[in-house]
């Protein structure tokens, strides 16, 4: 009760206590010493790379998933009427993996069905590779960032124990602060970067799978079209 009464009587003292309890993220980073700043800088670069890849891929996948719902109907009409040039032109004007697979199949009409199927599968492999470009880097960041953070933890604890050893066990808390800061802040930073990269990676994999499923469905529709009796 006396403490609260003193704070009520002295607002300035309350402000000082409030300021002392407030610690910004910048303070957490730079109070950890050179080791903390170096490791967190590496983690920050990894976070920037992960975010760049995520947003670049998400826009690319979103663009690849767009296709006119009437596309296959038009292809069906052109192929049925024997107007293969118009079908190829439509595929060329439609910038999507589905259109490129269809164009590959249309260009091989007249050859054995197995050859057409193989050509579409090979083209599909290339399209999937394009969709998954650099996505593996996100998985690497998701695994490496926590380990780098834990490396900072080990380094920080080594510094703290070294300070205790060299001082004969009489080290002041202020002398240990740098090592402890390094241990705690790098662990948190590594986990944050790893979690963000992990979530981003799994989201991209999920979105890519949906596009691949759409490609496979349209490839099946096209092959069924070729099997239909004229």
């Amino acid at each position: 009760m006396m403490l609260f009464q003193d704070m009520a009587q002295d607002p300035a003292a309350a402000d000082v206590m409030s300021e002392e309890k407030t610690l910004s993220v910048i303070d957490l980073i730079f109070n950890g010493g050179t080791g903390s700043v170096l490791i967190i800088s590496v983690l920050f670069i990894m976070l920037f790379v992960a975010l760049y890849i995520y947003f670049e891929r998400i826009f690319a996948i979103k663009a690849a998933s767009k296709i006119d719902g009437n596309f296959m109907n038009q292809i069906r009409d052109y192929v049925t009427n024997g107007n293969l040039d118009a079908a190829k032109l439509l595929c060329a004007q439609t910038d999507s993996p589905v259109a490129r697979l269809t164009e590959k199949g249309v260009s091989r009409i007249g050859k054995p069905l197995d050859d057409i199927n193989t050509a579409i599968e090979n083209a599909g492999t290339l399209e999937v590779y394009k969709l998954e470009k650099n996505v593996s880097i996100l998985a690497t960041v998701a695994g490496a960032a926590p380990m780098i953070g834990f490396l900072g933890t080990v380094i920080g604890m080594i510094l703290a124990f070294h300070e205790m050893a060299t001082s004969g066990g009489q080290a002041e808390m202020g002398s240990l602060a740098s090592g402890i800061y390094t241990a705690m802040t790098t662990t948190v930073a590594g986990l944050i970067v790893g979690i963000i990269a992990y979530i981003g990676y799994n989201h991209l994999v999920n979105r890519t799978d949906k596009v691949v499923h759409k490609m496979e469905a349209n490839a099946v529709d096209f092959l069924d079209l070729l099997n239909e009796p004229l």
Side-chain angles (χ1 to χ4, degrees):
M1 290 295 294
M2 292 296 295
L3 175 60
F4 290 111
Q5 291 176 357
D6 293 341
M7 291 175 60
Q9 294 173 358
D10 189 359
D15 292 339
V16 171
M17 292 185 65
S18 177
E19 291 177 359
E20 290 177 350
K21 292 181 180 179
T22 302
L23 190 62
S24 68
V25 175
I26 301 299
D27 292 332
L28 283 173
I29 295 175
F30 287 99
N31 286 346
T34 304
S36 176
V37 173
L38 180 61
I39 291 176
I40 291 181
S41 297
V42 172
L43 291 172
F44 179 79
I45 294 173
M46 294 175 70
L47 176 61
F48 175 80
V49 171
L51 291 175
Y52 174 80
I53 291 175
Y54 172 77
F55 286 108
E56 188 272 334
R57 284 292 86 199
I58 203 69
F59 289 126
I61 293 172
K62 185 177 180 179
S65 63
K66 290 182 179 180
I67 188 169
D68 185 2
N70 197 39
F71 175 77
M72 286 306 299
N73 291 331
Q74 291 179 280
I75 293 295
R76 181 185 300 274
D77 291 338
Y78 289 142
V79 172
T80 302
N81 295 326
N83 195 354
L84 300 184
D85 290 336
K88 292 178 183 178
L89 181 61
L90 176 62
C91 292
Q93 292 175 342
T94 306
D95 185 16
S96 72
V98 170
R100 286 189 284 273
L101 294 187
T102 305
E103 182 179 15
K104 187 67 66 174
V106 170
S107 64
R108 281 165 172 72
I109 289 179
K111 295 184 179 180
L113 194 61
D114 288 341
D115 291 347
I116 298 176
N117 187 31
T118 301
I120 292 177
E121 288 180 353
N122 292 337
T125 301
L126 294 176
E127 293 298 331
V128 172
Y129 176 79
K130 292 177 183 178
L131 291 174
E132 295 178 345
K133 179 183 177 182
N134 295 329
V135 173
S136 60
I137 296 177
L138 273 183
T140 302
V141 172
M147 289 191 289
I148 293 176
F150 291 141
L151 174 62
T153 301
V154 174
I155 293 174
M157 297 309 297
I158 290 174
L159 293 174
F161 282 113
H162 176 72
E163 184 65 28
M164 292 178 64
T166 55
S167 62
Q170 301 298 322
E172 297 179 358
M173 288 301 298
S175 301
L176 301 177
S178 178
I180 296 174
Y181 266 121
T182 300
M184 297 300 101
T185 56
T186 56
T187 300
V188 173
L191 289 173
I192 290 175
V193 174
I195 290 170
I196 292 174
Y198 181 76
I199 293 174
Y201 171 77
N202 281 281
H203 184 234
L204 289 179
V205 169
N206 181 262
R207 293 290 298 271
T208 301
D209 287 344
K210 291 181 179 180
V211 177
V212 172
H213 175 72
K214 184 179 293 186
M215 291 165 53
E216 292 175 345
N218 281 273
V220 170
D221 288 344
F222 179 76
L223 292 174
D224 288 343
L225 167 63
L226 298 183
N227 283 321
E228 291 179 358
L230 299 177

